[in-house]
Structures are given as C-alpha cells and as structure tokens.
Amino acid sequence: MTHSATAVVYCEGNFGRQDGKTANGLVRHSEKYEIVSVIDSTLAGSDAGVALGDPVSGIPVVADLGDAIVHAGRVPDTMIFGMAPAGGLLNPTQRTDLLDAIASGMNLVNGLHEFLNDDAEFASAALLAGVTITDVRRTKDKKDLRLFTGEIFDVTCPRVAVLGTDGAIGKRTTTTLLVEALIARGIKAVMIGTGQTALIQGARYAVALDATVPQYCSGEVEGQVVSAFHDENPDIIVVEGQGALSHPAYLTSAYILRGARPDGVIVQHAPLRGTLGDYPAIPMPTAASEIALIEAFARTRVIGVTINHENMTDQQVTDAIDEYELEFGVPATDPLTRPIDQLVEMVFQAYPALRERAVLAAT
C-alpha cells in the first residue's frame, strides 16, 4: 500500500488507553498516511504495536517532536492529533506541542470538536509556516447535508453494523479487521466509517457522525451506504458503530440503526470493564441487555458477539466466548487474539450466500 504523506501521531500520556483511540487505530490501520512514530513520553522506547498488545509494528513510540524528527531523518509531513478526549478540547500543553509542530513545518490534522482553523493563534501560525490545518470534524455546509430519504430500502446487499456496549471499545478495529478479512477471501466488502478516526485513516465512505446536526444524522449515514452500494456494487457493507445505543451521552448508534437499516449487528463488549469509559459512576450494560435493546429498537438481529479483552487473561477470553455462545446462540470471538477466520465465520453463518461466493472465489 502506498501512502501520500508521512505522519507523526501525537498521543502524549494516552497511547494504548481509551482516550488514545485515534492513535491506536492509526497504528493498526491507515490508508492515507504512513505513520512513522507516535509521541507519548510515558511509553517512549517501546514499539507501538507491542504497546497495544499487538505484534511488532515497526512504529516507535518517541518522547517528543524532536525525537520524532530525528527518527524520521527529516521533518515528517503531518502531525495528527491522536486523542479523543470526552471534552474534545485542547489543554495548554497540547496547544504548545501542536504549535511547535506547525512551526517545524508540519501540516496538522485535528479530529477534535475544537476547530483550530478558527483559532487565531493556530491560523496565524499555519499561515506563517505555510502549512495547512485540517479540522476533520468540520461538517459540510447545511445545504449539502442529507436528510433521510428512504433510498436505503433499495440497497439489496447485506448490511452489518458493528455496535457495542460503550465508546472506545474496539468497534472500528473489529469493523476494519472484518472488512479486510472478507476482501482477502474474495468477498467485495465495503466499510462505512462513522467517526473522525476512520476519516483520518482514509475511509472512502465516512462521516463524523457526532459532529453532524442531529436532523441530518440518519440521512448522512443513509447517504454513505447508498453511495457505497451504487459506486462499488459490494457483496456486503459493514458499518462502524459509535458509542452505544444504551449510552446516556451518545445517540449516534440510534442514527446508525435508522440510517443504515442493518439486517445484522455484531455487538462488541468488554466483559471486565465495570463502568462506562468516560463516566466512572455509571455501570457498564451487559451484553444481554444491549442485545435486547438493539433488537427491540430496530428491525434487525444480532449475529455475533465480539470481545474486547482488556484486563482479561486468555482463559477468561475463552470462558467468555463459551458463555456468550451458549447464552445467545450466536458465534462469539475476540478479533485480536483469536483466528480471524472465526470473525469471518460469524458473517458466513448469517449470510450463507457469502460463504458460497468465497468458495467460488477460491477455486
């Protein structure tokens, strides 16, 4: 895969954590940028993949911008802000570090709700340095936003949404892995991104749903699915989830269910996460309660459960897989620690015609 630009991901103090989910995702997958390093002084010297519990990635974690430039052998093209804090705003240290990157001649990619092109200090710094600032969450003009039209009912290929029981629980990673694995087996699968990280990664069909005026959220999701269907003629469309349908702060899952009208849902759950990520006073829902809520809210069915193994031993993952398969009567797996075939099999069981297509593609 060729990339048009090199990038350093800024994730000071948060790499591998929930608020570092943009950086975590970019290390695992990026179509648009070649990630050359991650900045997090608390993990400096480690390999970014290993820090995530994954295989060696060859992407180092460095202490600061100076080290990132030394490692690259030149000033990389772009600095990506790799954190997604609940408040969505920069703190003073982050402002200074990003302004230093601009002064060094790096373009800035910003996924926060705070638009840095509208910040006089950032705008003037970028102008002086001759670089660009991309505010990924800035939505289109309202005249270009789409209302729900019902065109989704003309989309005839299967649609699967990867939803979950909390934010920052691995829905995008599971979606990406599933699409890649299906493509590798001869299935024409297309991913619909619904957050800023997917846009930064280079997803062709994506919208920052949590930055879209609610009136247009269902229509924007519908529009991405319809465009993918007409442009790609896919065998299956897989939609990245956001937040959780049960989550008190995020309504985005509701718009995904209404706009994409998925006929299948995969539910991602972290069995040992006791409370919601950004709301430590609120207990996590169970997988069972989330499944019941999803199937009551939309005309769909849950076709599988995927596990986020944070704080779990391998035996605990195995026990959770067995428990969920027995309780819900659907396949369960951990996409990151179990063979990817198990995730693919989850979809093939729900859509036998896709299995037949994969068999034909292999002959």
Side-chain angles (χ1 to χ4, degrees), residues 146-156 222-223 226 229-230 259:
R146 292 171 283 197
L147 292 168
F148 184 81
T149 64
E151 290 178 89
I152 193 68
F153 298 113
D154 297 325
V155 175
T156 55
E222 178 192 43
V226 169
F229 177 66
H230 290 308

Side-chain angles (χ1 to χ4, degrees), residues 196-341:
Q196 78 279 3
T197 303
L199 283 162
I200 295 171
Q201 288 174 320
R204 181 175 178 186
Y205 302 97
V207 56
L209 203 55
D210 65 357
T212 303
V213 176
Q215 179 81 0
Y216 301 98
C217 283
S218 293
E220 282 296 302
V221 173
E222 178 192 43
Q224 294 297 329
V225 174
V226 169
S227 292
F229 177 66
H230 290 308
D231 294 349
E232 309 291 341
N233 189 28
D235 299 317
I236 185 172
I237 292 172
V238 187
V239 185
E240 171 199 11
Q242 292 292 318
L245 188 60
S246 61
H247 202 293
Y250 310 131
L251 298 176
T252 37
S253 287
Y255 299 124
I256 291 167
L257 286 165
R258 290 291 186 250
R261 315 295 282 200
D263 39 70
V265 170
I266 294 171
V267 173
Q268 180 109 356
H269 182 57
L272 293 191
R273 186 180 294 188
T275 60
L276 295 179
D278 291 319
Y279 299 88
I282 303 177
M284 279 281 290
T286 64
S289 67
E290 197 71 25
I291 289 171
L293 182 61
I294 289 167
E295 292 186 338
F297 181 80
R299 185 175 295 177
T300 190
R301 60 179 174 135
V302 171
I303 64 170
V305 177
T306 46
I307 292 168
N308 177 317
H309 61 259
E310 62 185 37
N311 302 316
M312 299 178 74
T313 65
D314 191 70
Q315 185 59 51
Q316 286 174 317
V317 172
T318 296
D319 292 344
I321 289 172
D322 292 343
E323 174 190 340
Y324 292 147
E325 289 189 339
L326 183 63
E327 181 177 1
F328 306 125
V330 296
T333 190
D334 176 352
L336 289 175
T337 67
R338 298 300 185 265
I340 199 66
D341 283 347

Side-chain angles (χ1 to χ4, degrees), residues 12-34:
E12 177 58 34
N14 279 288
F15 186 61
R17 302 179 182 180
Q18 289 182 35
D19 280 356
K21 65 179 185 179
T22 297
N24 306 342
L26 285 164
V27 165
R28 287 175 168 144
H29 177 79
S30 178
E31 299 177 34
K32 189 172 183 179
Y33 299 99
E34 177 190 353

Side-chain angles (χ1 to χ4, degrees), residues 63-203:
D64 54 30
L65 177 61
D67 285 351
I69 292 172
V70 169
H71 168 74
R74 64 179 182 87
V75 177
D77 301 310
T78 305
M79 173 74 80
I80 301 173
F81 188 81
M83 290 174 275
L89 304 176
L90 293 176
N91 64 38
T93 299
Q94 293 164 355
R95 286 184 65 90
T96 298
D97 290 344
L98 295 184
L99 286 166
D100 285 347
I102 289 174
S104 297
M106 299 175 71
N107 299 311
L108 180 60
V109 174
N110 164 44
L112 295 173
H113 288 292
E114 179 179 13
F115 297 152
L116 299 183
N117 275 300
D118 296 342
D119 184 301
E121 186 176 17
F122 274 92
S124 60
L127 183 63
L128 185 64
V131 301
T132 62
I133 298 173
T134 302
D135 291 313
V136 176
R137 271 186 164 125
R138 188 183 292 276
T139 59
K140 298 177 288 189
D141 291 340
K142 288 187 176 62
K143 64 180 176 60
D144 297 320
L145 291 171
R146 292 171 283 197
L147 292 168
F148 184 81
T149 64
E151 290 178 89
I152 193 68
F153 298 113
D154 297 325
V155 175
T156 55
C157 71
R159 299 179 301 285
V160 172
V162 180
L163 306 183
T165 52
D166 193 9
I169 205 166
K171 298 180 291 291
R172 186 193 63 258
T173 297
T174 294
T175 304
T176 302
L177 290 172
L178 176 57
V179 169
E180 289 178 342
L182 288 169
I183 291 171
R185 286 155 180 79
I187 303 298
K188 193 165 187 180
V190 177
M191 173 179 167
I192 307 296
T194 53
Q196 78 279 3
T197 303
L199 283 162
I200 295 171
Q201 288 174 320

